[in-house]
Amino acid sequence: MKKPTLGPRRRTNPLVWCLAIICAVLTVVVIITGIVVFIGYMVARPKVPQMSVANARIDTLYYDMVSLLTVKISIVIKAENDNARARAYFYKTSYALSFHGVKVAYLNADPFEVPKNSSTELYYQVESSPIPLTPEEGERVEAGLKNSNVTFELKGNTRTRWRVWVIGSVRFWLHLDCRLKLPVDGTTIYPKCNTKSR
Protein backbone atom coordinates (compact mmCIF):
# COMPACT_ATOMS: atom_id res chain seq x y z
CA MET A 1 0.00 0.00 0.00
CA LYS A 2 1.24 3.45 -0.93
CA LYS A 3 1.96 5.78 2.02
CA PRO A 4 0.16 9.12 1.87
CA THR A 5 2.44 11.89 0.84
CA LEU A 6 2.60 14.75 3.35
CA GLY A 7 3.11 18.22 1.99
CA PRO A 8 5.21 20.89 3.66
CA ARG A 9 3.87 22.10 7.02
CA ARG A 10 2.10 25.49 6.92
CA ARG A 11 3.53 27.88 9.47
CA THR A 12 1.43 30.51 11.23
CA ASN A 13 2.13 33.99 10.02
CA PRO A 14 4.20 36.01 12.58
CA LEU A 15 1.70 38.88 12.22
CA VAL A 16 -1.10 36.61 13.50
CA TRP A 17 1.05 35.66 16.52
CA CYS A 18 1.71 39.35 17.26
CA LEU A 19 -2.02 40.16 17.11
CA ALA A 20 -2.84 37.21 19.40
CA ILE A 21 -0.24 38.33 21.97
CA ILE A 22 -1.50 41.95 21.87
CA CYS A 23 -5.11 40.77 22.38
CA ALA A 24 -4.06 38.57 25.30
CA VAL A 25 -2.16 41.45 26.94
CA LEU A 26 -5.11 43.84 26.46
CA THR A 27 -7.50 41.29 27.99
CA VAL A 28 -5.29 40.91 31.06
CA VAL A 29 -4.99 44.72 31.41
CA VAL A 30 -8.79 45.15 31.20
CA ILE A 31 -9.35 42.43 33.81
CA ILE A 32 -6.77 43.93 36.20
CA THR A 33 -8.21 47.45 35.70
CA GLY A 34 -11.70 46.14 36.48
CA ILE A 35 -10.48 44.48 39.66
CA VAL A 36 -8.63 47.65 40.78
CA VAL A 37 -11.69 49.84 40.10
CA PHE A 38 -13.97 47.43 41.99
CA ILE A 39 -11.61 47.32 44.99
CA GLY A 40 -11.29 51.11 44.89
CA TYR A 41 -15.07 51.49 44.86
CA MET A 42 -15.49 49.06 47.79
CA VAL A 43 -12.80 50.88 49.81
CA ALA A 44 -13.93 54.43 49.06
CA ARG A 45 -17.71 53.79 49.04
CA PRO A 46 -18.36 57.06 47.14
CA LYS A 47 -21.56 58.97 47.83
CA VAL A 48 -23.12 61.48 45.46
CA PRO A 49 -22.97 65.01 46.98
CA GLN A 50 -26.38 66.61 47.50
CA MET A 51 -28.08 70.00 47.54
CA SER A 52 -31.07 70.69 49.79
CA VAL A 53 -33.20 73.60 50.95
CA ALA A 54 -32.19 74.06 54.59
CA ASN A 55 -34.78 76.73 55.40
CA ALA A 56 -36.86 79.50 53.87
CA ARG A 57 -39.16 82.33 54.94
CA ILE A 58 -41.04 85.34 53.60
CA ASP A 59 -39.56 88.56 54.97
CA THR A 60 -42.10 90.83 53.30
CA LEU A 61 -44.97 90.33 50.87
CA TYR A 62 -46.91 93.17 49.30
CA TYR A 63 -49.84 92.72 46.93
CA ASP A 64 -51.80 95.75 45.79
CA MET A 65 -55.13 96.32 44.07
CA VAL A 66 -53.55 96.74 40.63
CA SER A 67 -52.27 93.14 40.76
CA LEU A 68 -48.61 93.88 41.48
CA LEU A 69 -46.78 91.41 43.72
CA THR A 70 -43.56 92.34 45.55
CA VAL A 71 -41.81 89.83 47.81
CA LYS A 72 -38.65 89.55 49.83
CA ILE A 73 -37.71 85.96 50.65
CA SER A 74 -34.75 84.46 52.53
CA ILE A 75 -33.60 81.01 51.40
CA VAL A 76 -30.71 78.89 52.65
CA ILE A 77 -29.50 76.10 50.34
CA LYS A 78 -27.11 73.52 51.77
CA ALA A 79 -24.41 71.71 49.75
CA GLU A 80 -23.50 68.40 51.41
CA ASN A 81 -20.51 66.15 50.83
CA ASP A 82 -20.76 62.88 52.77
CA ASN A 83 -17.56 61.44 51.29
CA ALA A 84 -14.96 60.87 53.99
CA ARG A 85 -12.08 60.63 51.49
CA ALA A 86 -12.86 63.20 48.81
CA ARG A 87 -13.55 66.92 48.45
CA ALA A 88 -16.50 67.86 46.26
CA TYR A 89 -16.68 70.75 43.81
CA PHE A 90 -19.99 72.42 42.96
CA TYR A 91 -20.35 74.59 39.88
CA LYS A 92 -22.94 75.77 37.33
CA THR A 93 -25.32 76.35 40.24
CA SER A 94 -28.48 78.08 39.09
CA TYR A 95 -32.02 77.98 40.50
CA ALA A 96 -35.19 79.84 39.54
CA LEU A 97 -37.72 80.94 42.16
CA SER A 98 -41.23 81.18 40.68
CA PHE A 99 -44.79 81.89 41.69
CA HIS A 100 -47.06 79.60 39.64
CA GLY A 101 -44.76 79.84 36.63
CA VAL A 102 -44.02 83.57 37.01
CA LYS A 103 -40.27 84.02 37.58
CA VAL A 104 -39.52 85.96 40.77
CA ALA A 105 -35.72 85.68 40.85
CA TYR A 106 -32.69 83.59 39.87
CA LEU A 107 -30.40 82.16 42.56
CA ASN A 108 -26.88 81.56 41.25
CA ALA A 109 -23.57 80.72 42.90
CA ASP A 110 -19.94 80.88 41.84
CA PRO A 111 -18.05 77.55 41.83
CA PHE A 112 -17.18 76.43 45.35
CA GLU A 113 -15.62 73.49 47.19
CA VAL A 114 -16.99 71.46 50.11
CA PRO A 115 -14.37 69.65 52.24
CA LYS A 116 -14.51 65.94 53.05
CA ASN A 117 -17.51 64.87 55.14
CA SER A 118 -18.75 68.44 55.46
CA SER A 119 -21.37 70.91 54.22
CA THR A 120 -21.62 74.54 53.09
CA GLU A 121 -24.65 76.81 53.26
CA LEU A 122 -25.55 79.35 50.57
CA TYR A 123 -27.58 82.32 51.83
CA TYR A 124 -29.93 84.07 49.44
CA GLN A 125 -32.08 87.11 50.18
CA VAL A 126 -34.34 87.49 47.20
CA GLU A 127 -36.11 90.80 46.65
CA SER A 128 -38.30 91.01 43.56
CA SER A 129 -39.24 94.05 41.56
CA PRO A 130 -43.03 94.52 41.29
CA ILE A 131 -44.41 91.53 39.36
CA PRO A 132 -47.56 92.10 37.31
CA LEU A 133 -50.01 89.23 37.78
CA THR A 134 -52.94 88.02 35.70
CA PRO A 135 -56.36 87.99 37.40
CA GLU A 136 -56.00 84.22 37.96
CA GLU A 137 -52.55 84.63 39.56
CA GLY A 138 -53.91 87.48 41.68
CA GLU A 139 -56.67 85.19 42.93
CA ARG A 140 -54.03 82.65 43.96
CA VAL A 141 -52.20 85.31 45.98
CA GLU A 142 -55.44 86.36 47.66
CA ALA A 143 -56.29 82.72 48.43
CA GLY A 144 -52.81 82.23 49.88
CA LEU A 145 -53.14 85.34 52.04
CA LYS A 146 -56.46 84.03 53.39
CA ASN A 147 -54.83 80.68 54.17
CA SER A 148 -51.79 82.46 55.68
CA ASN A 149 -49.31 80.88 53.27
CA VAL A 150 -48.17 81.34 49.67
CA THR A 151 -46.58 78.62 47.54
CA PHE A 152 -43.43 79.21 45.48
CA GLU A 153 -41.48 76.84 43.25
CA LEU A 154 -37.70 76.49 43.34
CA LYS A 155 -36.19 74.61 40.41
CA GLY A 156 -32.69 74.34 39.00
CA ASN A 157 -29.44 72.43 38.64
CA THR A 158 -25.96 72.12 40.06
CA ARG A 159 -23.01 70.29 38.57
CA THR A 160 -20.79 68.42 41.01
CA ARG A 161 -17.40 66.74 40.67
CA TRP A 162 -15.24 64.78 43.06
CA ARG A 163 -12.29 62.41 42.84
CA VAL A 164 -12.65 58.81 44.02
CA TRP A 165 -9.25 57.28 44.78
CA VAL A 166 -8.05 55.25 41.75
CA ILE A 167 -11.43 55.38 40.03
CA GLY A 168 -10.80 58.96 38.98
CA SER A 169 -13.02 62.02 38.68
CA VAL A 170 -16.78 61.50 38.95
CA ARG A 171 -19.34 64.07 37.73
CA PHE A 172 -23.08 64.37 38.28
CA TRP A 173 -25.90 66.80 37.55
CA LEU A 174 -27.98 67.50 40.66
CA HIS A 175 -31.58 68.54 40.00
CA LEU A 176 -33.63 70.43 42.59
CA ASP A 177 -37.43 70.73 42.31
CA CYS A 178 -39.14 72.11 45.43
CA ARG A 179 -42.53 73.52 46.34
CA LEU A 180 -42.09 75.99 49.17
CA LYS A 181 -45.29 76.63 51.12
CA LEU A 182 -44.24 79.78 52.98
CA PRO A 183 -46.24 81.31 55.86
CA VAL A 184 -46.99 84.99 55.28
CA ASP A 185 -46.26 85.80 58.94
CA GLY A 186 -42.50 85.32 58.38
CA THR A 187 -42.25 81.92 60.09
CA THR A 188 -39.18 79.95 58.93
CA ILE A 189 -39.89 76.56 57.40
CA TYR A 190 -37.51 73.61 57.05
CA PRO A 191 -38.64 71.74 53.94
CA LYS A 192 -37.49 68.20 53.23
CA CYS A 193 -36.37 68.84 49.68
CA ASN A 194 -33.16 67.34 48.22
CA THR A 195 -31.59 66.93 44.82
CA LYS A 196 -31.82 63.73 42.86
CA SER A 197 -28.89 62.85 40.63
CA ARG A 198 -29.39 61.79 37.02
Side-chain angles (χ1 to χ4, degrees):
M1 191 178 224
K2 213 172 184 183
K3 290 183 180 180
T5 308
L6 297 173
R9 288 186 178 179
R10 299 180 71 183
R11 294 186 176 182
T12 305
N13 191 321
L15 184 61
V16 173
W17 278 110
C18 287
L19 287 174
I21 292 169
I22 290 169
C23 287
V25 170
L26 286 175
T27 302
V28 171
V29 168
V30 168
I31 291 170
I32 291 172
T33 302
I35 291 170
V36 169
V37 168
F38 178 74
I39 292 171
Y41 178 85
M42 295 305 291
V43 169
R45 295 279 185 181
K47 295 178 183 177
V48 177
Q50 295 292 326
M51 297 290 276
S52 63
V53 179
N55 63 68
R57 74 172 183 272
I58 292 177
D59 296 319
T60 58
L61 185 146
Y62 178 73
Y63 176 68
D64 63 21
M65 299 308 292
V66 292
S67 296
L68 288 176
L69 173 69
T70 306
V71 292
K72 187 176 179 181
I73 299 175
S74 295
I75 299 175
V76 178
I77 297 177
K78 183 188 286 188
E80 300 175 82
N81 177 22
D82 292 331
N83 289 293
R85 295 180 175 86
R87 295 172 296 174
Y89 299 88
F90 293 79
Y91 57 103
K92 294 187 179 177
T93 300
S94 182
Y95 301 104
L97 182 69
S98 307
F99 173 73
H100 295 281
V102 180
K103 294 289 186 292
V104 175
Y106 289 96
L107 286 63
N108 300 314
D110 292 330
F112 61 96
E113 177 185 319
V114 177
K116 304 171 187 177
N117 207 23
S118 184
S119 65
T120 297
E121 292 186 337
L122 307 174
Y123 296 87
Y124 295 97
Q125 195 165 59
V126 177
E127 187 168 4
S128 74
S129 54
I131 304 165
L133 301 179
T134 64
E136 185 182 341
E137 292 161 350
E139 287 173 9
R140 288 175 180 161
V141 173
E142 289 174 10
L145 292 172
K146 286 177 185 175
N147 294 325
S148 298
N149 60 66
V150 179
T151 302
F152 292 88
E153 299 88 31
L154 183 65
K155 294 182 181 182
N157 305 296
T158 297
R159 189 91 161 127
T160 185
R161 173 174 54 88
W162 75 105
R163 187 166 185 81
V164 182
W165 194 43
V166 294
I167 299 175
S169 186
V170 182
R171 291 178 172 84
F172 275 96
W173 276 107
L174 304 176
H175 306 276
L176 191 68
D177 189 349
C178 298
R179 285 176 62 82
L180 304 175
K181 205 169 185 179
L182 302 177
V184 295
D185 64 0
T187 302
T188 300
I189 64 164
Y190 302 88
K192 293 180 180 178
C193 183
N194 301 305
T195 53
K196 293 180 180 178
S197 61
R198 284 200 288 208

